[in-house]
Amino acid sequence: MALITESLVTATDKKIVLLVLDGLGGLPQLPGGPTELEAATTPNLDKLAKEGVQGLLDPIGPGITPGSGPAHLSLFGYDAVEHNVGRGLLSALGGDFPLEDRDVCARGNFCSLDGSGNVTDRRAGRIATELSTPLCEKLEKDAQIEGVEIFVRPEKDHRFLLVIRGEHLSDQLEDTDSQKTGVPPLKCKPLREEAARTAKIVDEFSDKARRVLENEKQANGVLLRGFAKRLPLPTMSDRFGLRAAALADYPMYRGLARLVGMEVLSKDPDLKARFAEVKKSRDGYDFFFVHFKKTDAAGEDGNFEKKVKVIEECDAALPVLLEAKPDVLIVTGDHSTPAMMASHSWHPVPVLIHGNNVRTDDTTAFGETQASHGGLGRMPMMHLLPIALAHAGRLQKFGA
Amino acid sequence: MALITESLVTATDKKIVLLVLDGLGGLPQLPGGPTELEAATTPNLDKLAKEGVQGLLDPIGPGITPGSGPAHLSLFGYDAVEHNVGRGLLSALGGDFPLEDRDVCARGNFCSLDGSGNVTDRRAGRIATELSTPLCEKLEKDAQIEGVEIFVRPEKDHRFLLVIRGEHLSDQLEDTDSQKTGVPPLKCKPLREEAARTAKIVDEFSDKARRVLENEKQANGVLLRGFAKRLPLPTMSDRFGLRAAALADYPMYRGLARLVGMEVLSKDPDLKARFAEVKKSRDGYDFFFVHFKKTDAAGEDGNFEKKVKVIEECDAALPVLLEAKPDVLIVTGDHSTPAMMASHSWHPVPVLIHGNNVRTDDTTAFGETQASHGGLGRMPMMHLLPIALAHAGRLQKFGA
């Protein structure tokens, strides 16, 4: 199907805006109650839903809980199962690290370990970037391994990028992060024989890091996940003829956007500023991806009220985005992060499409319940982009 | 999935009727307003919907706008991407032209050209068949090309069939119809090197045709599209054990029906007469395809009121079809042709299934909005035929 879509692509001057509220989908606190999105007061989103059409998207497939990487690839019209992108690669791309083909990279977390070496906090109290930056410098200086070159670069808060540069390295490795507390970080397990040497290097790095950090109170250990090498993907320009731009304040999402050939514009942490830049840059691009992280962060923290509040914050900023007069405006999430679960989930994500040639349905407000009987029905997230292209007049007729 | 369906086929005496209102799916004139189907007064269709089950069908895939050829193949249970049928082939089949394997055929339009050779009307004012027939005879006589044999046969109105007969011809050619006015017809572009000679022959024909037609006021040029050679398809009898019959007044749809092995019964332009023939022929067939073109024509003309009116015309005739007592009655379109867009579109098509063992839903009238929360949900159009077979008791259990 993807190949047909690509063969039908044509150009128009219609602009598509994809606004992603990360982890938007939620769950009610009590059966029958409102989800975070439904509890939020969102007059602007509700108006768009009423004038547009709603539905539900499965990021990867029914029952599958996605990470942010594959979920965003689906949003961008890619088969995320075919193109399985490691978290480490996203971190590298987001941080503008000049990755080489031979490099293996991973997402690192500073974590807190107790006296017996068990993890007490997987995020080291979410230490601030100002505190984690000198720790990264220290690691890059003092935790080098013979035979390879080690790079440790800060990301936001407790997160960092690890890059191992050398010959004959493999990314076929399991995470050292068990996602649990009360147990020590895992030994790195090779998934294939050829990765045995790289796994040893990873373990050596983890041990050295612990020695380097031993006097730290909070951040005295490291957890590594998403080992990956560089992955060549066809760009959105190649596939869909779109000059695409990204406006995201978190490095990983910028990295993801670059991976599919988007140009990264504003990374202003203020959502309104990013919205304003869409208007400013309107003529230069066909497709704008605007990312809003706070919904996912509140969901991950299990904070229902906070998630409601940041959805309302996004809604209040929307008029600035509407000033850009997108011909096709899509609002959705990359996946669900219900505060009740304090984690990503498999529940399908509500989506609304507003604009050119939309067939309206009888829904009146943006939310999971109404979306479940909206005019779009429920479909794989990967199909969203072809629909966006259709509304923008960017797909020719198939056959006669 | 298709192979499984085929392996489960069994025979019953249950009759399936598929009534296709071409281009049925529509759009509201204003957001939230009724579509053409919803605006129409359709007591008979509404009763069927209330007693039956509704849903939405994607002819090819979300976002893909289909031509009539692939859309009908999907309705008949074929993978239209795998079997991509050129328009020329449909014209040839519809016109009963005795096509040979070496022939290349195309759909032709008489068009109007101005003094500089630019297209002013892609359909030459939709000139009547009585006027286009002698022009076709003239072309077949005076626009022959050395080394091949040229056939030009009238279809309905401004449309004709071009057949080029000769050795080593290729159908890997782009249309000469740019679908635009204000520009000249395109040169024929070969899609592969092997088609270069055929492309030259096509251009030579177009030039000759222009000279032959130079004294015509309206129809002084030709546009060619959908170059194709004969395509062997398994029949509906082979695949689904169905003795299938078609009742269609437009040649292309009869051609399509023949392509999948249907027998063509009535081509009476009166819908009631075609409906009456279903009753008359009930015993001889298992599956009846009844085609109604006027909905698509009104949509293509951008005439919302007209499309409403012809839907009402179809509804008023329905009791005649019901006299045939179909065990399974399906009413749907092959694709959407919203009057607001005056063209085919990608929007999913409403469908209703009435009859044997239907699980009713809570919809009360036939229309896109109710269909979007009907019991069938939204699904690929290709899945409709297996469901029809199931309701007719024509599919055995899979596995034990």
Side-chain angles (χ1 to χ4, degrees), chain A residues 71-381:
Chain A
H72 273 81
L73 283 188
S74 289
L75 281 175
F76 301 154
Y78 289 72
D79 183 333
V81 173
E82 186 188 333
H83 305 291
N84 194 353
V85 179
R87 185 95 181 198
L89 180 58
L90 297 178
S91 296
L93 288 163
D96 288 313
F97 186 88
L99 209 62
E100 298 184 4
D101 281 344
R102 58 185 176 149
D103 297 349
V104 166
C105 48
R107 148 69 75 86
N109 268 15
F110 286 107
C111 67
S112 309
L113 304 174
D114 65 16
S116 341
N118 292 327
V119 178
T120 55
D121 183 340
R122 287 181 49 247
R123 299 182 184 92
R126 293 188 183 273
I127 55 161
T129 315
E130 303 85 70
L131 296 175
S132 62
T133 302
L135 297 182
C136 288
E137 287 164 8
K138 222 163 145 182
L139 286 180
E140 187 166 308
K141 188 167 155 278
D142 298 332
Q144 289 293 333
I145 313 290
E146 205 177 306
V148 294
E149 198 175 353
I150 300 286
F151 301 89
V152 183
R153 298 296 161 88
E155 278 190 67
K156 203 164 173 134
D157 301 337
H158 54 282
R159 306 174 187 93
F160 63 86
L161 163 71
L162 169 69
V163 177
I164 308 173
R165 177 166 296 167
E167 301 308 319
H168 311 301
L169 298 176
S170 168
D171 61 358
Q172 298 300 301
L173 303 168
E174 281 192 10
D175 297 349
T176 74
D177 182 358
S178 68
Q179 307 262 347
K180 285 177 200 145
T181 55
V183 294
L186 300 171
K187 289 269 161 205
C188 184
K189 221 169 112 182
L191 293 167
R192 293 192 200 152
E193 217 183 292
E194 78 216 35
R197 180 180 148 248
T198 318
K200 267 193 193 163
I201 294 169
V202 170
D203 284 339
E204 216 181 318
F205 169 77
S206 299
D207 290 345
K208 274 207 174 174
R210 214 170 135 182
R211 288 200 295 278
V212 171
L213 302 169
E214 67 185 343
N215 293 324
E216 295 298 321
K217 273 183 198 135
Q218 281 190 299
N220 61 348
V222 297
L223 298 170
L224 301 168
R225 58 189 169 120
F227 291 94
K229 297 190 101 172
R230 193 149 78 174
L231 182 79
L233 277 179
T235 66
M236 289 182 82
S237 168
D238 291 341
R239 296 188 60 207
F240 307 122
L242 293 173
R243 295 171 303 163
L247 302 97
D249 54 341
Y250 272 61
M252 208 190 69
Y253 306 94
R254 291 199 295 273
L256 209 31
R258 280 200 197 91
L259 193 63
V260 296
M262 289 192 208
E263 204 163 312
V264 174
L265 305 183
S266 174
K267 49 186 184 182
D268 197 310
D270 177 20
L271 182 62
K272 277 191 190 170
R274 296 206 295 288
F275 281 170
E277 187 151 335
V278 174
K279 184 181 175 188
K280 223 181 76 191
S281 310
R282 193 183 192 280
D283 291 342
Y285 302 91
D286 310 307
F287 179 94
F288 295 87
F289 156 55
V290 188
H291 186 259
F292 181 67
K293 177 70 180 171
K294 290 180 180 173
T295 29
D296 180 61
E300 290 263 17
D301 286 344
N303 193 333
F304 191 97
E305 303 309 330
K306 179 78 186 290
K307 195 171 163 195
V308 169
K309 223 184 116 208
V310 295
I311 291 171
E312 291 176 346
E313 178 190 327
C314 182
D315 185 83
L318 256 185
V320 181
L321 182 60
L322 297 178
E323 281 175 27
K325 298 196 190 309
D327 298 291
V328 184
L329 173 58
I330 297 167
V331 186
T332 186
D334 54 341
H335 53 72
S336 295
T337 308
M340 298 304 290
M341 293 176 66
S343 69
H344 291 201
S345 81
W346 63 90
H347 302 89
V349 189
V351 60
L352 75 79
I353 304 181
H354 184 270
N356 198 40
N357 289 324
V358 158
R359 181 192 280 165
T360 49
D361 54 27
D362 53 3
T363 67
T364 55
F366 192 34
E368 290 84 345
T369 311
Q370 294 215 30
S372 74
H373 40 80
L376 284 174
R378 176 173 176 167
M379 69 172 71
M381 186 173 272

Side-chain angles (χ1 to χ4, degrees), chain B residues 140-387:
Chain B
E140 187 166 310
K141 187 168 156 279
D142 298 332
Q144 289 292 333
I145 314 288
E146 206 176 306
V148 294
E149 199 175 353
I150 300 285
F151 301 89
V152 183
R153 298 297 161 87
E155 279 192 66
K156 201 162 176 140
D157 301 337
H158 55 281
R159 306 173 187 94
F160 65 84
L161 163 71
L162 169 71
V163 177
I164 309 174
R165 177 166 296 167
E167 301 309 319
H168 311 301
L169 298 176
S170 168
D171 62 358
Q172 297 301 300
L173 303 169
E174 280 192 11
D175 298 349
T176 73
D177 181 358
S178 68
Q179 307 263 345
K180 285 177 200 145
T181 54
V183 293
L186 300 173
K187 290 268 160 205
C188 183
K189 219 169 114 182
L191 292 168
R192 293 191 202 154
E193 217 184 292
E194 77 215 38
R197 182 180 144 250
T198 317
K200 267 193 193 163
I201 293 169
V202 170
D203 283 338
E204 215 180 318
F205 170 76
S206 299
D207 289 344
K208 274 205 174 174
R210 214 171 137 181
R211 286 199 295 276
V212 170
L213 301 170
E214 66 184 342
N215 293 324
E216 294 299 319
K217 270 184 203 135
Q218 282 191 300
N220 62 349
V222 297
L223 297 171
L224 301 168
R225 58 191 168 119
F227 291 95
K229 298 190 99 171
R230 192 149 79 174
L231 181 79
L233 276 180
T235 66
M236 289 182 80
S237 168
D238 291 342
R239 296 188 61 207
F240 307 122
L242 292 173
R243 295 171 301 164
L247 302 98
D249 55 341
Y250 271 60
M252 209 190 70
Y253 306 94
R254 292 198 296 274
L256 211 30
R258 281 201 195 91
L259 193 63
V260 295
M262 290 193 206
E263 204 162 313
V264 174
L265 306 181
S266 173
K267 49 185 184 182
D268 197 310
D270 177 20
L271 181 62
K272 276 191 190 170
R274 298 206 294 288
F275 281 169
E277 187 152 336
V278 174
K279 183 181 176 186
K280 223 181 76 190
S281 309
R282 192 182 191 282
D283 291 343
Y285 302 91
D286 310 307
F287 179 92
F288 295 87
F289 156 55
V290 188
H291 186 258
F292 181 66
K293 177 70 179 171
K294 289 180 181 174
T295 27
D296 180 60
E300 289 263 17
D301 286 342
N303 193 333
F304 191 98
E305 304 309 330
K306 179 79 186 291
K307 194 171 164 194
V308 170
K309 223 184 116 206
V310 295
I311 291 171
E312 291 176 345
E313 178 190 327
C314 182
D315 184 83
L318 256 185
V320 182
L321 182 61
L322 297 178
E323 281 174 28
K325 297 196 193 308
D327 298 290
V328 185
L329 172 58
I330 296 167
V331 185
T332 186
D334 54 342
H335 52 73
S336 294
T337 307
M340 298 304 291
M341 292 177 67
S343 70
H344 291 200
S345 81
W346 63 90
H347 301 89
V349 189
V351 59
L352 74 80
I353 304 181
H354 183 270
N356 198 42
N357 291 324
V358 158
R359 181 191 283 164
T360 50
D361 55 27
D362 54 2
T363 66
T364 54
F366 192 33
E368 290 84 346
T369 310
Q370 294 214 30
S372 75
H373 37 81
L376 284 174
R378 177 173 178 167
M379 68 173 79
M381 185 174 271
M382 223 182 104
H383 293 169
L384 180 64
L385 197 96
I387 295 176

Side-chain angles (χ1 to χ4, degrees), chain B residues 37 100 110 119 129 192 233 237 307 315 392 396:
Chain B
L37 175 57
E100 298 184 4
F110 287 107
V119 178
T129 315
R192 293 191 202 154
L233 276 180
S237 168
K307 194 171 164 194
D315 184 83
Q396 295 174 292

